[in-house]
Amino acid sequence: MKVRIKFRKYGPVRFIGHLDVMRYFQKAIRRAEIDITYTEGFSPHQIMTFAAPLGVGIVSDGEYMDIQINALPKAENGMTACETMVKRLNAVGVRGLDAVSARILPENAGNAMASVAAASYTVRFREGKRPQDWNDTAAQRLIDSFLSQGEILVEKQTKNGVRTVDLRPGIYELSWRNDSFFLLVDASSGNNIKPALLMETLLRHGGMTLEEHALAVARQDIFTKTVRETGEETFVSLGEIGFEEPFAQAEQERTP
Amino acid sequence: MGEKLALSEEILMQIEKPERYIGCEYNSVVKDPSRVRIRFAMCFPDVYEIGMSHLGIQILYHILNDMPDVWCERVYSPWVDLDAIMRRQKIPLFALESQDPVKSFDFLGITIQYEMCYTNILQILDLSGIPLSASQRGEDCPIVIGGGPCTYNPEPLADFFDLFYIGEGETQYRNLLDLYLECRDLGLDRQEFLLRAAREIPGMYAPGFYEPSYGEDGTLKSFVPTKEGVPEKVRKEIVDHMSEAPYPVKPVVPFIKITQDRVVLEIQRGCIRGCRFCQAGQIYRPVRERDADTLKQYAKALLKNTGQEEISLSSLSSSDYSQLSELVNFLMEECAGSHTNISLPSLRIDAFSLDVMSKVQDVKKSSLTFAPEAGSQRLRNVINKGLTEEAILNGARLAFEGGWTRVKLYFMLGLPTETVEDIQGIAQLCNKIAALFYETVPKEKRVNGRVQIVASTSFFVPKPFTPFQWAAQCTKEEFLEKAYQTRTAIGSQLNQKSIKYNWHEADASVMEGILARGDRRLCEVIKRVYEKGSVFDAWGEYYNNARWLETMQECGLSPDFFTRERSLDELLPWDFIDCGVSKEFLRREWEKAKREETSENCRVKCQGCGAAGFGCGICAIART
């Protein structure tokens, strides 16, 4: 059975790298005595996939890992098995890597990593790092002008050297509200847009240069793409996929 | 976010592994500072991954934090990248849990595990804003207290510490802290507290209350207390009942991969063997075991409380632990099905250990380790290493039959009385093991085609409180010549293609020996070397040998003086410490070594070393 766990990352532990977050959860799952499935072979490891690596220093309200389990924990009084799992994880966890929710995935659900299509972020300027003459009007004007471009070409450093890519198709939303940028951008593997790169490009478009460490980035959520009955494509939060209760039970309720 | 960090976002984003500095690890202890009376900063003066792997710190962290009126936090050496930033931006060194400056603490405890960390100790003090010299410290500074094996000759560090705690930390901290509180309540100053500690608390050595004088030849002439009531001899502290001693069953779980990334079960302290080069074998006497039933409880709790995937037994010569098979069988049962690995270092290779290893490890990938230390039986008798060629070959044959194809062998070069024949013995032993493989394993069954033998040599460093404390240490040139001879000898063996040879750096081994058997005059050398920029001397890439030698010269000290053979009637800088083992016993052993005579281990026959005076451990139980 596959379970998707949503967690947050904030506070000092935001400086923990992606691989170490994985190592952290491997141990936390053992402490919580969650009956996770291990791979076969001589060096078995827990079956666990993370949705999209989060850069060091970035906080997030919507991180996901999918784990394969042999059995759900016994539900504690007044809670579902999924809620019990969350409670148990948090009881043996550190502050800043909090489990938020758990959901049982349908057997045909794609794994967390493969299904990632987009991610949302808020980005604000750190204290004293705001460009000169920056205000709501200036921000809006810059964004409008930026998004009106047919293509936004940038040079991206990849493993195989520098590659020119067009950011424009991957920007699904870019706005300025409550003193922050809001971004909804492509986060699929291969076309992932890093918020810092987008911000740098945006400010350069307005003739500004971005100082180092000027931005505080927070990831809001991660999305997958689904097709509505109408045929329209839409983004759905990874946290909305799946069920709070085992399917058998859920199905029973549906077919009286 | 609310949580405090001593380092800015900007700094944390530009340094390597910021996780080293943020604290927050699972099982780390956070208390309300307004509800404790003593703030204790416990430091391992090396990088986080090394320091966090040390069991002793976890034990003390647990004991001190179990006291409701004390908050103990951890401090490690900032790596060179952060070190540079902290100096440039004048950021004071901080403890991990509260992120508060170390200087604001009541105590700074520093564990001193190896000589090559001495400059790191000064780095810690310096970055904390604490004067390097204890005599310059005011009431605003923490009490700087040292512990660990190097305190069995604390003299090269005497200027930098207010106190040294000689012996095992479990016993006297509560008494020391109570005295501290009492002195504070009475409004006594730092010096008065230190004096009372030296007088009243066993195991405390306050170097400021002692004075050495030197003869014309440079040797120590006298070493006496300068205040009344301060003991002439400081006797080491020891836990007498290990099974009742506190154990950290909720150790801090690091985020990053550390050197020993597993939970550790200390099964016993001390060693019955009495190898004559080994300091640990003497200073931790008498051997004291923890009861297997207690250890089983600890093992379960450790795994549950950490979620670690590996448990390691820890002790000197683990095969001598009397309940080993019971404990190991329990662990194998307990770990089966829970994807937990068991690691068993320091086991003698025999049928039992091979059977265990074949169950807990991948035979194809793992290697066997032998530590004959010397190449010939003659020299093994000199060093009292009770491992015979027959035992090695028997173990190797069993292992080859069991499918192992990799063997590691550890030797020392430069041992007292060593000859060319002993060195050739290293090569011959390696060759015999290789030949044995080809005899034992038929061609069609050789997994990787051939056997892989890796021989490593380190250079012998005489240490205080060993029978070899009087021995001469080789010069760098002699060491390198011996390594060359070893390499040549291995190269001329029939099976040389199956043997790989590694040797250690000679420079640092000589300096380690100088510091190990040095006296107070080396304080100035260490201070100057540090001020010239040395730190992380234990890390080959940062060790600057020329700087050490040049500084010794500036201070009018010669390396040869410290590496020479010491005469038996000489007053040694560490003679004021009573580690339980008598100088008379060590001398007897030194003389037996020169006669190539061995001594039985503690279990077979008491050698009268003096540790029986502690009235515990093996000294207190009937021998079989």
Side-chain angles (χ1 to χ4, degrees):
Chain A
M1 180 186 297
K2 268 201 290 186
V3 173
R4 176 164 294 163
I5 294 167
K6 179 178 183 178
F7 64 95
R8 297 174 63 207
K9 190 183 183 193
Y10 62 91
V13 301
R14 69 187 181 280
F15 294 103
I16 297 165
H18 176 63
L19 289 177
D20 293 324
V21 170
M22 279 176 68
R23 282 164 33 85
Y24 166 81
F25 276 112
Q26 282 161 5
K27 291 185 174 117
I29 282 170
R30 287 169 68 91
R31 293 195 292 265
E33 295 179 339
I34 291 170
D35 189 7
I36 192 165
T37 312
Y38 280 76
T39 57
E40 303 286 324
F42 217 97
S43 51
H45 54 268
Q46 298 178 357
I47 301 181
M48 178 186 270
T49 320
F50 281 72
L54 186 67
V56 171
I58 299 180
V59 299
S60 175
D61 282 332
E63 294 300 296
Y64 299 91
M65 62 174 169
D66 290 357
I67 59 172
Q68 175 91 38
I69 57 169
N70 301 318
L72 283 167
K74 205 166 155 264
E76 286 173 21
N77 46 345
M79 286 187 287
T80 63
C82 281
E83 285 165 350
T84 305
M85 200 185 293
V86 169
K87 187 189 148 208
R88 277 215 223 157
L89 265 178
N90 287 333
V92 295
V94 301
R95 187 169 148 75
L97 284 170
D98 311 356
V100 178
S101 63
R103 279 178 167 244
I104 299 153
L105 294 178
E107 283 304 320
N108 60 0
N111 80 42
M113 202 191 297
S115 50
V116 171
S120 57
Y121 299 88
T122 54
V123 180
R124 56 177 179 79
F125 292 108
R126 287 184 193 288
E127 214 152 286
K129 302 278 187 179
R130 210 173 237 253
Q132 273 194 329
D133 303 323
W134 185 267
N135 56 40
D136 287 357
T137 326
Q140 199 51 56
R141 204 174 297 144
L142 176 61
I143 289 171
D144 291 344
S145 156
F146 183 67
L147 291 180
S148 69
Q149 304 173 92
E151 52 179 20
I152 302 172
L153 298 179
V154 292
E155 292 193 333
K156 205 169 156 185
Q157 193 70 42
T158 68
K159 271 179 228 157
N160 312 316
V162 180
R163 192 161 61 99
T164 304
V165 293
D166 182 7
L167 294 182
R168 187 63 193 86
I171 304 172
Y172 306 124
E173 195 180 335
L174 171 58
S175 56
W176 173 259
R177 52 197 198 217
N178 302 329
D179 253 11
S180 301
F181 292 101
F182 177 82
L183 281 59
L184 179 67
V185 292
D186 195 331
S188 64
S189 98
N191 297 311
N192 179 43
I193 296 179
K194 285 189 178 169
L197 177 70
L198 178 57
M199 286 298 110
E200 196 193 321
T201 315
L202 172 70
L203 291 177
R204 196 170 347 106
H205 180 73
M208 291 168 269
T209 47
L210 190 59
E211 275 183 68
E212 268 198 83
H213 310 290
L215 302 173
V217 179
R219 182 137 82 189
Q220 301 295 305
D221 206 354
I222 302 172
F223 301 88
T224 188
K225 208 181 265 179
T226 56
V227 184
R228 286 215 180 121
E229 281 146 24
T230 57
E232 184 196 1
E233 281 192 335
T234 174
F235 292 123
V236 175
S237 164
L238 286 187
E240 283 173 31
I241 313 273
F243 314 93
E244 274 265 15
E245 300 279 351
F247 324 129
Q249 212 178 322
E251 240 142 33
Q252 247 171 24
E253 282 163 11
R254 239 176 281 153
T255 51
Chain B
M1 277 142 225
E3 289 99 334
K4 194 165 122 192
L5 282 170
L7 301 172
S8 70
E9 181 97 17
E10 212 163 325
I11 293 172
L12 286 162
M13 289 302 285
Q14 63 178 298
I15 54 176
E16 214 181 283
K17 300 193 187 168
E19 295 110 315
R20 287 167 174 162
Y21 313 106
I22 61 172
C24 299
E25 304 97 323
Y26 187 66
N27 285 339
S28 60
V29 178
V30 174
K31 296 191 180 185
D32 176 352
S34 68
R35 304 187 70 158
V36 296
R37 298 193 71 199
I38 293 176
R39 300 282 299 270
F40 200 116
M42 189 64 82
C43 170
F44 190 113
D46 206 322
V47 73
Y48 179 91
E49 294 91 314
I50 303 281
M52 273 293 285
S53 301
H54 184 246
L55 176 65
I57 293 263
Q58 297 264 15
I59 292 177
L60 291 174
Y61 185 77
H62 166 74
I63 291 176
L64 291 169
N65 279 324
D66 248 15
M67 303 175 183
D69 58 339
V70 181
W71 185 10
C72 176
E73 305 182 40
R74 294 158 301 140
V75 178
Y76 302 102
S77 305
W79 188 240
V80 289
D81 55 350
L82 180 59
D83 174 286
I85 294 171
M86 292 174 81
R87 282 170 205 277
R88 211 182 314 128
Q89 303 191 16
K90 302 201 166 29
I91 299 169
L93 184 64
F94 52 93
L96 293 186
E97 284 78 354
S98 65
Q99 303 270 310
D100 287 337
V102 169
K103 198 179 176 185
S104 68
F105 281 62
D106 297 290
F107 282 87
L108 169 59
I110 302 179
T111 182
I112 316 166
Q113 295 289 319
Y114 31 84
E115 290 78 5
M116 302 320 280
C117 77
Y118 289 0
T119 49
N120 280 53
I121 293 173
L122 300 196
Q123 177 212 27
I124 295 284
L125 295 171
D126 198 12
L127 290 178
S128 299
I130 299 169
L132 300 185
S133 166
S135 60
Q136 309 284 308
R137 286 175 202 147
E139 301 298 322
D140 61 335
C141 289
I143 303 293
V144 180
I145 179 167
C150 290
T151 63
Y152 285 88
N153 178 21
E155 289 306 278
L157 295 171
D159 287 358
F160 314 123
F161 282 84
D162 298 302
L163 281 176
F164 289 100
Y165 183 132
I166 311 297
E168 295 170 353
E170 282 98 339
T171 55
Q172 292 297 342
Y173 266 114
R174 187 67 255 183
N175 294 335
L176 183 69
L177 299 183
D178 283 340
L179 178 68
Y180 177 79
L181 290 173
E182 186 191 326
C183 290
R184 193 165 70 183
D185 291 344
L186 290 170
L188 300 182
D189 69 13
R190 185 180 185 89
Q191 286 307 310
E192 288 167 307
F193 162 68
L194 293 174
L195 186 57
R196 284 196 58 186
R199 281 175 176 158
E200 297 169 28
I201 314 279
M204 294 302 135
Y205 166 51
F209 302 128
Y210 294 77
E211 196 161 279
S213 71
Y214 302 93
E216 267 172 32
D217 60 357
T219 59
L220 193 62
K221 202 165 86 186
S222 69
F223 187 84
V224 287
T226 54
K227 297 262 187 207
E228 215 191 295
V230 172
E232 271 173 44
K233 278 224 167 201
V234 181
R235 186 164 166 86
K236 87 165 175 197
E237 275 299 299
I238 184 172
V239 174
D240 45 14
H241 294 293
M242 285 300 285
S243 296
E244 289 153 33
Y247 198 78
V249 291
K250 290 180 89 179
V252 177
V253 184
F255 291 111
I256 54 174
K257 216 170 162 53
I258 59 168
T259 315
Q260 299 287 330
D261 203 22
R262 51 190 73 92
V263 289
V264 177
L265 199 57
E266 187 197 32
I267 58 175
Q268 62 184 353
R269 211 169 276 177
C271 181
I272 58 170
R273 297 277 149 184
C275 298
R276 290 176 180 138
F277 55 84
C278 177
Q279 188 189 41
Q282 303 293 339
I283 62 177
Y284 299 128
R285 284 184 176 214
V287 70
R288 288 147 294 151
E289 298 192 340
R290 290 186 200 265
D291 170 65
D293 287 331
T294 316
L295 289 172
K296 290 176 194 171
Q297 299 308 313
Y298 290 167
K300 277 187 174 177
L302 281 165
L303 291 169
K304 174 152 178 48
N305 293 338
T306 61
Q308 290 278 20
E309 292 182 328
E310 185 165 334
I311 184 163
S312 171
L313 301 189
S314 161
S315 79
L316 301 161
S317 190
S318 298
S319 295
D320 294 328
Y321 175 64
S322 65
Q323 296 165 285
L324 186 68
S325 66
E326 185 190 334
L327 179 64
V328 170
N329 286 329
F330 168 83
L331 289 177
M332 285 197 298
E333 258 174 53
E334 188 70 20
C335 296
S338 71
H339 302 100
T340 307
N341 297 319
I342 304 171
S343 113
L344 305 159
S346 144
L347 272 196
R348 191 166 50 233
I349 304 299
D350 57 19
F352 169 74
S353 62
L354 288 171
D355 178 51
V356 171
M357 285 193 284
S358 68
K359 286 175 186 153
V360 301
Q361 296 169 353
D362 185 353
V363 172
K364 275 187 231 117
K365 285 186 201 147
S366 64
S367 59
L368 296 171
T369 306
F370 294 96
E373 308 293 358
S376 69
Q377 195 56 50
R378 185 202 73 80
L379 191 53
R380 284 195 292 274
N381 290 348
V382 169
I383 64 177
N384 203 40
K385 180 87 195 182
L387 185 61
T388 62
E389 182 170 302
E390 199 192 345
I392 296 169
L393 294 177
N394 272 337
R397 187 174 40 75
L398 285 171
F400 294 148
E401 286 166 0
W404 273 273
T405 59
R406 285 193 246 190
V407 178
K408 283 192 226 163
L409 292 154
Y410 291 103
F411 298 95
M412 263 186 262
L413 292 175
L415 286 162
T417 78
E418 184 183 59
T419 64
V420 180
E421 287 74 42
D422 298 317
I423 290 178
Q424 282 166 346
I426 293 175
Q428 286 153 5
L429 181 60
C430 293
N431 189 59
K432 272 185 203 166
I433 295 173
L436 182 70
F437 174 83
Y438 297 113
E439 274 167 39
T440 313
V441 186
K443 219 170 200 161
E444 61 278 11
K445 285 194 176 166
R446 291 175 199 163
V447 187
N448 302 319
R450 64 164 57 135
V451 66
Q452 291 175 39
I453 293 174
V454 181
S456 303
T457 59
S458 61
F459 295 116
F460 167 65
V461 178
K463 293 276 164 106
F465 293 111
T466 65
F468 291 167
Q469 65 178 353
W470 291 280
Q473 188 184 10
C474 293
T475 62
K476 176 187 170 183
E477 291 70 28
E478 287 166 340
F479 275 146
L480 292 177
E481 171 63 20
K482 284 168 190 289
Y484 175 74
Q485 286 170 358
T486 311
R487 197 182 61 183
T488 313
I490 287 176
S492 66
Q493 300 298 317
L494 198 59
N495 292 301
Q496 51 125 334
K497 283 194 175 151
S498 303
I499 310 168
K500 191 172 176 286
Y501 174 52
N502 301 318
W503 67 95
H504 283 214
E505 293 279 330
D507 289 344
S509 300
V510 175
M511 195 49 66
E512 181 188 329
I514 292 170
L515 294 171
R517 292 194 297 169
D519 56 44
R520 265 186 202 199
R521 292 170 297 185
L522 286 171
C523 294
E524 184 62 22
V525 176
I526 297 168
K527 183 165 159 260
R528 288 196 199 183
V529 165
Y530 169 72
E531 284 166 350
K532 291 177 187 177
S534 278
V535 71
F536 287 106
D537 286 310
W539 296 71
E541 66 266 42
Y542 295 107
Y543 178 65
N544 183 336
N545 193 56
R547 186 187 277 154
W548 277 95
L549 293 179
E550 155 209 302
T551 309
M552 283 191 77
Q553 201 173 16
E554 277 169 31
C555 295
L557 296 170
S558 146
D560 300 346
F561 174 82
F562 295 99
T563 56
R564 80 200 143 89
E565 179 169 347
R566 313 284 168 106
S567 84
L568 285 171
D569 52 13
E570 189 174 329
L571 182 64
L572 301 170
W574 52 91
D575 276 348
F576 73 96
I577 288 174
D578 173 6
C579 81
V581 170
S582 70
K583 198 171 180 183
E584 174 50 34
F585 165 74
L586 296 174
R587 202 180 69 198
R588 263 191 337 256
E589 282 292 299
W590 176 223
E591 279 158 2
K592 280 173 95 172
K594 289 196 267 195
R595 295 197 302 268
E596 301 172 13
E597 285 175 25
T598 58
S599 293
E600 289 100 333
N601 72 51
C602 300
R603 192 155 283 144
V604 175
K605 185 174 172 239
C606 175
Q607 302 294 318
C609 72
F614 292 111
C616 62
I618 194 156
C619 305
I621 55 172
R623 285 181 175 75
T624 46

